[in-house]
PDB file of all heavy atoms in Angstrom:
ATOM      1  N   VAL A   1      11.084   9.828  -8.516  1.00 98.00           N
ATOM      2  CA  VAL A   1      10.844   9.611  -9.950  1.00 98.00           C
ATOM      3  C   VAL A   1      12.216   9.435 -10.609  1.00 98.00           C
ATOM      4  O   VAL A   1      12.783  10.368 -11.164  1.00 98.00           O
ATOM      5  CB  VAL A   1      10.068  10.798 -10.578  1.00 98.00           C
ATOM      6  CG1 VAL A   1       9.754  10.528 -12.043  1.00 98.00           C
ATOM      7  CG2 VAL A   1       8.791  11.090  -9.794  1.00 98.00           C
ATOM      8  N   PRO A   2      12.762   8.220 -10.529  1.00 98.00           N
ATOM      9  CA  PRO A   2      14.121   8.000 -11.052  1.00 98.00           C
ATOM     10  C   PRO A   2      14.186   8.118 -12.572  1.00 98.00           C
ATOM     11  O   PRO A   2      13.187   7.947 -13.269  1.00 98.00           O
ATOM     12  CB  PRO A   2      14.454   6.570 -10.622  1.00 98.00           C
ATOM     13  CG  PRO A   2      13.289   6.048  -9.878  1.00 98.00           C
ATOM     14  CD  PRO A   2      12.176   7.030  -9.941  1.00 98.00           C
ATOM     15  N   GLU A   3      15.370   8.399 -13.043  1.00 97.00           N
ATOM     16  CA  GLU A   3      15.598   8.468 -14.487  1.00 97.00           C
ATOM     17  C   GLU A   3      15.344   7.104 -15.112  1.00 97.00           C
ATOM     18  O   GLU A   3      15.767   6.075 -14.590  1.00 97.00           O
ATOM     19  CB  GLU A   3      17.034   8.912 -14.759  1.00 97.00           C
ATOM     20  CG  GLU A   3      17.323   9.136 -16.218  1.00 97.00           C
ATOM     21  CD  GLU A   3      18.720   9.686 -16.463  1.00 97.00           C
ATOM     22  OE1 GLU A   3      19.477   9.905 -15.492  1.00 97.00           O
ATOM     23  OE2 GLU A   3      19.047   9.892 -17.637  1.00 97.00           O
ATOM     24  N   ALA A   4      14.632   7.093 -16.232  1.00 97.00           N
ATOM     25  CA  ALA A   4      14.380   5.843 -16.961  1.00 97.00           C
ATOM     26  C   ALA A   4      15.711   5.294 -17.467  1.00 97.00           C
ATOM     27  O   ALA A   4      16.504   6.025 -18.061  1.00 97.00           O
ATOM     28  CB  ALA A   4      13.428   6.088 -18.123  1.00 97.00           C
ATOM     29  N   ASP A   5      15.935   4.035 -17.235  1.00 95.00           N
ATOM     30  CA  ASP A   5      17.161   3.378 -17.690  1.00 95.00           C
ATOM     31  C   ASP A   5      16.951   2.914 -19.133  1.00 95.00           C
ATOM     32  O   ASP A   5      16.784   1.725 -19.414  1.00 95.00           O
ATOM     33  CB  ASP A   5      17.493   2.204 -16.766  1.00 95.00           C
ATOM     34  CG  ASP A   5      18.865   1.626 -17.022  1.00 95.00           C
ATOM     35  OD1 ASP A   5      19.515   1.994 -18.028  1.00 95.00           O
ATOM     36  OD2 ASP A   5      19.292   0.769 -16.213  1.00 95.00           O
ATOM     37  N   LEU A   6      16.927   3.882 -20.044  1.00 94.00           N
ATOM     38  CA  LEU A   6      16.587   3.582 -21.433  1.00 94.00           C
ATOM     39  C   LEU A   6      17.507   2.556 -22.085  1.00 94.00           C
ATOM     40  O   LEU A   6      17.015   1.663 -22.783  1.00 94.00           O
ATOM     41  CB  LEU A   6      16.519   4.875 -22.247  1.00 94.00           C
ATOM     42  CG  LEU A   6      15.398   5.834 -21.835  1.00 94.00           C
ATOM     43  CD1 LEU A   6      15.440   7.105 -22.678  1.00 94.00           C
ATOM     44  CD2 LEU A   6      14.034   5.181 -21.906  1.00 94.00           C
ATOM     45  N   PRO A   7      18.816   2.606 -21.895  1.00 94.00           N
ATOM     46  CA  PRO A   7      19.655   1.569 -22.513  1.00 94.00           C
ATOM     47  C   PRO A   7      19.240   0.151 -22.099  1.00 94.00           C
ATOM     48  O   PRO A   7      19.213  -0.756 -22.926  1.00 94.00           O
ATOM     49  CB  PRO A   7      21.069   1.905 -22.024  1.00 94.00           C
ATOM     50  CG  PRO A   7      21.034   3.374 -21.772  1.00 94.00           C
ATOM     51  CD  PRO A   7      19.641   3.640 -21.247  1.00 94.00           C
ATOM     52  N   ARG A   8      18.877  -0.031 -20.826  1.00 94.00           N
ATOM     53  CA  ARG A   8      18.426  -1.361 -20.389  1.00 94.00           C
ATOM     54  C   ARG A   8      17.067  -1.694 -20.980  1.00 94.00           C
ATOM     55  O   ARG A   8      16.823  -2.827 -21.375  1.00 94.00           O
ATOM     56  CB  ARG A   8      18.382  -1.439 -18.862  1.00 94.00           C
ATOM     57  CG  ARG A   8      19.783  -1.583 -18.286  1.00 94.00           C
ATOM     58  CD  ARG A   8      19.806  -1.925 -16.828  1.00 94.00           C
ATOM     59  NE  ARG A   8      19.177  -3.209 -16.549  1.00 94.00           N
ATOM     60  CZ  ARG A   8      18.654  -3.508 -15.361  1.00 94.00           C
ATOM     61  NH1 ARG A   8      18.674  -2.646 -14.372  1.00 94.00           N
ATOM     62  NH2 ARG A   8      18.106  -4.687 -15.161  1.00 94.00           N
ATOM     63  N   PHE A   9      16.156  -0.703 -21.034  1.00 94.00           N
ATOM     64  CA  PHE A   9      14.841  -0.974 -21.626  1.00 94.00           C
ATOM     65  C   PHE A   9      14.981  -1.396 -23.083  1.00 94.00           C
ATOM     66  O   PHE A   9      14.279  -2.290 -23.548  1.00 94.00           O
ATOM     67  CB  PHE A   9      13.911   0.235 -21.506  1.00 94.00           C
ATOM     68  CG  PHE A   9      13.241   0.350 -20.164  1.00 94.00           C
ATOM     69  CD1 PHE A   9      13.560   1.393 -19.307  1.00 94.00           C
ATOM     70  CD2 PHE A   9      12.297  -0.587 -19.758  1.00 94.00           C
ATOM     71  CE1 PHE A   9      12.945   1.501 -18.067  1.00 94.00           C
ATOM     72  CE2 PHE A   9      11.681  -0.490 -18.518  1.00 94.00           C
ATOM     73  CZ  PHE A   9      12.005   0.557 -17.671  1.00 94.00           C
ATOM     74  N   TYR A  10      15.887  -0.755 -23.808  1.00 95.00           N
ATOM     75  CA  TYR A  10      16.069  -1.090 -25.223  1.00 95.00           C
ATOM     76  C   TYR A  10      16.584  -2.513 -25.424  1.00 95.00           C
ATOM     77  O   TYR A  10      16.441  -3.081 -26.494  1.00 95.00           O
ATOM     78  CB  TYR A  10      17.026  -0.108 -25.896  1.00 95.00           C
ATOM     79  CG  TYR A  10      16.540   1.329 -25.937  1.00 95.00           C
ATOM     80  CD1 TYR A  10      17.455   2.369 -25.985  1.00 95.00           C
ATOM     81  CD2 TYR A  10      15.196   1.652 -25.937  1.00 95.00           C
ATOM     82  CE1 TYR A  10      17.036   3.694 -26.035  1.00 95.00           C
ATOM     83  CE2 TYR A  10      14.771   2.955 -25.983  1.00 95.00           C
ATOM     84  CZ  TYR A  10      15.692   3.983 -26.027  1.00 95.00           C
ATOM     85  OH  TYR A  10      15.267   5.284 -26.075  1.00 95.00           O
ATOM     86  N   GLN A  11      17.184  -3.092 -24.392  1.00 95.00           N
ATOM     87  CA  GLN A  11      17.742  -4.443 -24.484  1.00 95.00           C
ATOM     88  C   GLN A  11      16.766  -5.537 -24.060  1.00 95.00           C
ATOM     89  O   GLN A  11      17.088  -6.719 -24.190  1.00 95.00           O
ATOM     90  CB  GLN A  11      18.993  -4.554 -23.611  1.00 95.00           C
ATOM     91  CG  GLN A  11      20.136  -3.691 -24.081  1.00 95.00           C
ATOM     92  CD  GLN A  11      21.298  -3.727 -23.104  1.00 95.00           C
ATOM     93  OE1 GLN A  11      21.260  -4.387 -22.076  1.00 95.00           O
ATOM     94  NE2 GLN A  11      22.349  -2.997 -23.435  1.00 95.00           N
ATOM     95  N   MET A  12      15.599  -5.166 -23.578  1.00 93.00           N
ATOM     96  CA  MET A  12      14.666  -6.177 -23.074  1.00 93.00           C
ATOM     97  C   MET A  12      14.202  -7.093 -24.206  1.00 93.00           C
ATOM     98  O   MET A  12      13.874  -6.638 -25.296  1.00 93.00           O
ATOM     99  CB  MET A  12      13.448  -5.520 -22.408  1.00 93.00           C
ATOM    100  CG  MET A  12      13.758  -4.752 -21.133  1.00 93.00           C
ATOM    101  SD  MET A  12      14.407  -5.778 -19.777  1.00 93.00           S
ATOM    102  CE  MET A  12      16.156  -5.517 -19.908  1.00 93.00           C
ATOM    103  N   ALA A  13      14.185  -8.392 -23.919  1.00 94.00           N
ATOM    104  CA  ALA A  13      13.858  -9.397 -24.929  1.00 94.00           C
ATOM    105  C   ALA A  13      12.354  -9.638 -25.052  1.00 94.00           C
ATOM    106  O   ALA A  13      11.912 -10.250 -26.018  1.00 94.00           O
ATOM    107  CB  ALA A  13      14.560 -10.706 -24.595  1.00 94.00           C
ATOM    108  N   SER A  14      11.575  -9.163 -24.073  1.00 96.00           N
ATOM    109  CA  SER A  14      10.132  -9.381 -24.117  1.00 96.00           C
ATOM    110  C   SER A  14       9.426  -8.238 -23.395  1.00 96.00           C
ATOM    111  O   SER A  14      10.042  -7.512 -22.600  1.00 96.00           O
ATOM    112  CB  SER A  14       9.769 -10.706 -23.448  1.00 96.00           C
ATOM    113  OG  SER A  14       9.978 -10.616 -22.048  1.00 96.00           O
ATOM    114  N   TRP A  15       8.127  -8.131 -23.657  1.00 95.00           N
ATOM    115  CA  TRP A  15       7.331  -7.095 -22.975  1.00 95.00           C
ATOM    116  C   TRP A  15       7.233  -7.428 -21.491  1.00 95.00           C
ATOM    117  O   TRP A  15       7.222  -6.529 -20.651  1.00 95.00           O
ATOM    118  CB  TRP A  15       5.957  -6.964 -23.629  1.00 95.00           C
ATOM    119  CG  TRP A  15       5.216  -5.757 -23.162  1.00 95.00           C
ATOM    120  CD1 TRP A  15       4.029  -5.740 -22.501  1.00 95.00           C
ATOM    121  CD2 TRP A  15       5.604  -4.384 -23.299  1.00 95.00           C
ATOM    122  NE1 TRP A  15       3.654  -4.447 -22.219  1.00 95.00           N
ATOM    123  CE2 TRP A  15       4.615  -3.592 -22.696  1.00 95.00           C
ATOM    124  CE3 TRP A  15       6.711  -3.744 -23.859  1.00 95.00           C
ATOM    125  CZ2 TRP A  15       4.671  -2.201 -22.639  1.00 95.00           C
ATOM    126  CZ3 TRP A  15       6.774  -2.352 -23.805  1.00 95.00           C
ATOM    127  CH2 TRP A  15       5.760  -1.602 -23.205  1.00 95.00           C
ATOM    128  N   GLN A  16       7.187  -8.695 -21.145  1.00 96.00           N
ATOM    129  CA  GLN A  16       7.169  -9.107 -19.732  1.00 96.00           C
ATOM    130  C   GLN A  16       8.448  -8.634 -19.027  1.00 96.00           C
ATOM    131  O   GLN A  16       8.394  -8.125 -17.915  1.00 96.00           O
ATOM    132  CB  GLN A  16       7.015 -10.626 -19.598  1.00 96.00           C
ATOM    133  CG  GLN A  16       7.011 -11.113 -18.155  1.00 96.00           C
ATOM    134  CD  GLN A  16       5.908 -10.510 -17.310  1.00 96.00           C
ATOM    135  OE1 GLN A  16       4.794 -10.306 -17.779  1.00 96.00           O
ATOM    136  NE2 GLN A  16       6.216 -10.188 -16.064  1.00 96.00           N
ATOM    137  N   ALA A  17       9.586  -8.786 -19.678  1.00 95.00           N
ATOM    138  CA  ALA A  17      10.849  -8.315 -19.097  1.00 95.00           C
ATOM    139  C   ALA A  17      10.829  -6.792 -18.951  1.00 95.00           C
ATOM    140  O   ALA A  17      11.343  -6.253 -17.962  1.00 95.00           O
ATOM    141  CB  ALA A  17      12.026  -8.759 -19.963  1.00 95.00           C
ATOM    142  N   THR A  18      10.229  -6.108 -19.904  1.00 96.00           N
ATOM    143  CA  THR A  18      10.093  -4.652 -19.824  1.00 96.00           C
ATOM    144  C   THR A  18       9.254  -4.274 -18.604  1.00 96.00           C
ATOM    145  O   THR A  18       9.598  -3.351 -17.856  1.00 96.00           O
ATOM    146  CB  THR A  18       9.471  -4.098 -21.117  1.00 96.00           C
ATOM    147  OG1 THR A  18      10.346  -4.400 -22.207  1.00 96.00           O
ATOM    148  CG2 THR A  18       9.248  -2.607 -21.047  1.00 96.00           C
ATOM    149  N   HIS A  19       8.147  -4.983 -18.389  1.00 94.00           N
ATOM    150  CA  HIS A  19       7.306  -4.739 -17.209  1.00 94.00           C
ATOM    151  C   HIS A  19       8.086  -4.940 -15.915  1.00 94.00           C
ATOM    152  O   HIS A  19       7.982  -4.127 -14.987  1.00 94.00           O
ATOM    153  CB  HIS A  19       6.089  -5.678 -17.216  1.00 94.00           C
ATOM    154  CG  HIS A  19       4.901  -5.118 -17.910  1.00 94.00           C
ATOM    155  ND1 HIS A  19       3.998  -4.295 -17.297  1.00 94.00           N
ATOM    156  CD2 HIS A  19       4.463  -5.268 -19.177  1.00 94.00           C
ATOM    157  CE1 HIS A  19       3.047  -3.962 -18.145  1.00 94.00           C
ATOM    158  NE2 HIS A  19       3.316  -4.536 -19.302  1.00 94.00           N
ATOM    159  N   GLU A  20       8.850  -6.000 -15.863  1.00 95.00           N
ATOM    160  CA  GLU A  20       9.622  -6.302 -14.657  1.00 95.00           C
ATOM    161  C   GLU A  20      10.654  -5.209 -14.379  1.00 95.00           C
ATOM    162  O   GLU A  20      10.818  -4.782 -13.225  1.00 95.00           O
ATOM    163  CB  GLU A  20      10.279  -7.673 -14.779  1.00 95.00           C
ATOM    164  CG  GLU A  20       9.260  -8.803 -14.750  1.00 95.00           C
ATOM    165  CD  GLU A  20       9.819 -10.155 -15.166  1.00 95.00           C
ATOM    166  OE1 GLU A  20      11.051 -10.277 -15.380  1.00 95.00           O
ATOM    167  OE2 GLU A  20       9.006 -11.100 -15.290  1.00 95.00           O
ATOM    168  N   LEU A  21      11.325  -4.739 -15.418  1.00 95.00           N
ATOM    169  CA  LEU A  21      12.293  -3.657 -15.231  1.00 95.00           C
ATOM    170  C   LEU A  21      11.583  -2.364 -14.837  1.00 95.00           C
ATOM    171  O   LEU A  21      12.073  -1.620 -13.984  1.00 95.00           O
ATOM    172  CB  LEU A  21      13.125  -3.451 -16.497  1.00 95.00           C
ATOM    173  CG  LEU A  21      14.177  -2.341 -16.431  1.00 95.00           C
ATOM    174  CD1 LEU A  21      15.147  -2.541 -15.262  1.00 95.00           C
ATOM    175  CD2 LEU A  21      14.936  -2.258 -17.755  1.00 95.00           C
ATOM    176  N   ALA A  22      10.419  -2.094 -15.417  1.00 95.00           N
ATOM    177  CA  ALA A  22       9.674  -0.879 -15.071  1.00 95.00           C
ATOM    178  C   ALA A  22       9.270  -0.879 -13.597  1.00 95.00           C
ATOM    179  O   ALA A  22       9.307   0.162 -12.937  1.00 95.00           O
ATOM    180  CB  ALA A  22       8.448  -0.724 -15.963  1.00 95.00           C
ATOM    181  N   GLU A  23       8.903  -2.034 -13.073  1.00 95.00           N
ATOM    182  CA  GLU A  23       8.546  -2.109 -11.651  1.00 95.00           C
ATOM    183  C   GLU A  23       9.732  -1.768 -10.760  1.00 95.00           C
ATOM    184  O   GLU A  23       9.569  -1.155  -9.709  1.00 95.00           O
ATOM    185  CB  GLU A  23       8.007  -3.501 -11.314  1.00 95.00           C
ATOM    186  CG  GLU A  23       6.610  -3.731 -11.864  1.00 95.00           C
ATOM    187  CD  GLU A  23       6.059  -5.108 -11.514  1.00 95.00           C
ATOM    188  OE1 GLU A  23       6.575  -5.741 -10.555  1.00 95.00           O
ATOM    189  OE2 GLU A  23       5.126  -5.542 -12.198  1.00 95.00           O
ATOM    190  N   ILE A  24      10.925  -2.142 -11.203  1.00 94.00           N
ATOM    191  CA  ILE A  24      12.137  -1.823 -10.453  1.00 94.00           C
ATOM    192  C   ILE A  24      12.505  -0.356 -10.656  1.00 94.00           C
ATOM    193  O   ILE A  24      12.814   0.359  -9.700  1.00 94.00           O
ATOM    194  CB  ILE A  24      13.309  -2.732 -10.893  1.00 94.00           C
ATOM    195  CG1 ILE A  24      13.016  -4.183 -10.525  1.00 94.00           C
ATOM    196  CG2 ILE A  24      14.634  -2.264 -10.299  1.00 94.00           C
ATOM    197  CD1 ILE A  24      13.924  -5.192 -11.213  1.00 94.00           C
ATOM    198  N   ASN A  25      12.473   0.108 -11.902  1.00 94.00           N
ATOM    199  CA  ASN A  25      12.909   1.460 -12.263  1.00 94.00           C
ATOM    200  C   ASN A  25      11.942   2.532 -11.752  1.00 94.00           C
ATOM    201  O   ASN A  25      12.351   3.659 -11.510  1.00 94.00           O
ATOM    202  CB  ASN A  25      13.067   1.571 -13.772  1.00 94.00           C
ATOM    203  CG  ASN A  25      13.928   2.737 -14.234  1.00 94.00           C
ATOM    204  OD1 ASN A  25      14.375   2.728 -15.367  1.00 94.00           O
ATOM    205  ND2 ASN A  25      14.180   3.744 -13.412  1.00 94.00           N
ATOM    206  N   ALA A  26      10.663   2.187 -11.601  1.00 96.00           N
ATOM    207  CA  ALA A  26       9.649   3.167 -11.196  1.00 96.00           C
ATOM    208  C   ALA A  26       8.936   2.683  -9.931  1.00 96.00           C
ATOM    209  O   ALA A  26       7.779   2.275  -9.984  1.00 96.00           O
ATOM    210  CB  ALA A  26       8.657   3.378 -12.332  1.00 96.00           C
ATOM    211  N   PRO A  27       9.608   2.721  -8.779  1.00 95.00           N
ATOM    212  CA  PRO A  27       9.014   2.157  -7.567  1.00 95.00           C
ATOM    213  C   PRO A  27       7.701   2.823  -7.144  1.00 95.00           C
ATOM    214  O   PRO A  27       6.902   2.221  -6.444  1.00 95.00           O
ATOM    215  CB  PRO A  27      10.107   2.332  -6.506  1.00 95.00           C
ATOM    216  CG  PRO A  27      11.003   3.397  -7.041  1.00 95.00           C
ATOM    217  CD  PRO A  27      10.920   3.312  -8.531  1.00 95.00           C
ATOM    218  N   HIS A  28       7.474   4.054  -7.595  1.00 97.00           N
ATOM    219  CA  HIS A  28       6.226   4.765  -7.274  1.00 97.00           C
ATOM    220  C   HIS A  28       5.380   4.987  -8.520  1.00 97.00           C
ATOM    221  O   HIS A  28       4.495   5.852  -8.537  1.00 97.00           O
ATOM    222  CB  HIS A  28       6.533   6.082  -6.570  1.00 97.00           C
ATOM    223  CG  HIS A  28       7.337   5.896  -5.321  1.00 97.00           C
ATOM    224  ND1 HIS A  28       6.816   5.335  -4.174  1.00 97.00           N
ATOM    225  CD2 HIS A  28       8.638   6.146  -5.061  1.00 97.00           C
ATOM    226  CE1 HIS A  28       7.754   5.262  -3.253  1.00 97.00           C
ATOM    227  NE2 HIS A  28       8.866   5.747  -3.765  1.00 97.00           N
ATOM    228  N   GLY A  29       5.667   4.228  -9.576  1.00 97.00           N
ATOM    229  CA  GLY A  29       4.841   4.280 -10.774  1.00 97.00           C
ATOM    230  C   GLY A  29       5.392   5.118 -11.903  1.00 97.00           C
ATOM    231  O   GLY A  29       5.060   4.891 -13.057  1.00 97.00           O
ATOM    232  N   PHE A  30       6.215   6.113 -11.595  1.00 98.00           N
ATOM    233  CA  PHE A  30       6.724   7.030 -12.614  1.00 98.00           C
ATOM    234  C   PHE A  30       8.242   6.964 -12.708  1.00 98.00           C
ATOM    235  O   PHE A  30       8.927   6.718 -11.726  1.00 98.00           O
ATOM    236  CB  PHE A  30       6.346   8.485 -12.287  1.00 98.00           C
ATOM    237  CG  PHE A  30       4.889   8.786 -12.334  1.00 98.00           C
ATOM    238  CD1 PHE A  30       4.224   9.262 -11.211  1.00 98.00           C
ATOM    239  CD2 PHE A  30       4.159   8.621 -13.505  1.00 98.00           C
ATOM    240  CE1 PHE A  30       2.876   9.574 -11.256  1.00 98.00           C
ATOM    241  CE2 PHE A  30       2.803   8.927 -13.561  1.00 98.00           C
ATOM    242  CZ  PHE A  30       2.154   9.397 -12.424  1.00 98.00           C
ATOM    243  N   MET A  31       8.727   7.243 -13.916  1.00 98.00           N
ATOM    244  CA  MET A  31      10.155   7.450 -14.133  1.00 98.00           C
ATOM    245  C   MET A  31      10.331   8.697 -15.005  1.00 98.00           C
ATOM    246  O   MET A  31       9.395   9.123 -15.675  1.00 98.00           O
ATOM    247  CB  MET A  31      10.822   6.215 -14.730  1.00 98.00           C
ATOM    248  CG  MET A  31      10.246   5.721 -16.025  1.00 98.00           C
ATOM    249  SD  MET A  31      10.880   4.076 -16.465  1.00 98.00           S
ATOM    250  CE  MET A  31       9.420   3.082 -16.162  1.00 98.00           C
ATOM    251  N   ARG A  32      11.534   9.261 -14.969  1.00 98.00           N
ATOM    252  CA  ARG A  32      11.825  10.478 -15.739  1.00 98.00           C
ATOM    253  C   ARG A  32      12.422  10.116 -17.095  1.00 98.00           C
ATOM    254  O   ARG A  32      13.390   9.379 -17.178  1.00 98.00           O
ATOM    255  CB  ARG A  32      12.862  11.347 -15.003  1.00 98.00           C
ATOM    256  CG  ARG A  32      12.326  12.061 -13.815  1.00 98.00           C
ATOM    257  CD  ARG A  32      13.396  12.921 -13.130  1.00 98.00           C
ATOM    258  NE  ARG A  32      14.307  12.083 -12.349  1.00 98.00           N
ATOM    259  CZ  ARG A  32      15.612  12.024 -12.535  1.00 98.00           C
ATOM    260  NH1 ARG A  32      16.215  12.754 -13.443  1.00 98.00           N
ATOM    261  NH2 ARG A  32      16.365  11.240 -11.781  1.00 98.00           N
ATOM    262  N   TYR A  33      11.838  10.709 -18.139  1.00 98.00           N
ATOM    263  CA  TYR A  33      12.352  10.519 -19.490  1.00 98.00           C
ATOM    264  C   TYR A  33      13.159  11.727 -19.963  1.00 98.00           C
ATOM    265  O   TYR A  33      13.944  11.614 -20.900  1.00 98.00           O
ATOM    266  CB  TYR A  33      11.199  10.266 -20.467  1.00 98.00           C
ATOM    267  CG  TYR A  33      10.507   8.959 -20.190  1.00 98.00           C
ATOM    268  CD1 TYR A  33       9.398   8.903 -19.358  1.00 98.00           C
ATOM    269  CD2 TYR A  33      10.982   7.773 -20.736  1.00 98.00           C
ATOM    270  CE1 TYR A  33       8.777   7.703 -19.091  1.00 98.00           C
ATOM    271  CE2 TYR A  33      10.364   6.562 -20.462  1.00 98.00           C
ATOM    272  CZ  TYR A  33       9.253   6.539 -19.641  1.00 98.00           C
ATOM    273  OH  TYR A  33       8.639   5.348 -19.362  1.00 98.00           O
ATOM    274  N   HIS A  34      12.935  12.874 -19.319  1.00 98.00           N
ATOM    275  CA  HIS A  34      13.646  14.083 -19.722  1.00 98.00           C
ATOM    276  C   HIS A  34      13.621  15.076 -18.569  1.00 98.00           C
ATOM    277  O   HIS A  34      12.653  15.146 -17.815  1.00 98.00           O
ATOM    278  CB  HIS A  34      12.982  14.702 -20.954  1.00 98.00           C
ATOM    279  CG  HIS A  34      13.630  15.957 -21.425  1.00 98.00           C
ATOM    280  ND1 HIS A  34      14.840  15.951 -22.083  1.00 98.00           N
ATOM    281  CD2 HIS A  34      13.259  17.243 -21.326  1.00 98.00           C
ATOM    282  CE1 HIS A  34      15.170  17.205 -22.378  1.00 98.00           C
ATOM    283  NE2 HIS A  34      14.221  18.004 -21.919  1.00 98.00           N
TER     284      HIS A  34
END
């Protein structure tokens, strides 16, 4: 459950790009926010 890369998420230009980054950031579905 890797740490969410919030600075990169905040820079995403579209929801599709956010989805693509989430698939990379959360290889098992979850990421850590805190």
Side-chain angles (χ1 to χ4, degrees):
V1 183
E3 185 175 0
D5 190 350
L6 295 178
R8 284 191 62 205
F9 278 112
Y10 297 153
Q11 295 174 0
M12 294 297 98
S14 70
W15 191 242
Q16 179 59 38
T18 298
H19 270 275
E20 291 167 6
L21 180 56
E23 287 181 20
I24 295 165
N25 199 162
H28 303 289
F30 294 121
M31 57 192 108
R32 286 181 284 121
Y33 294 93
H34 179 74

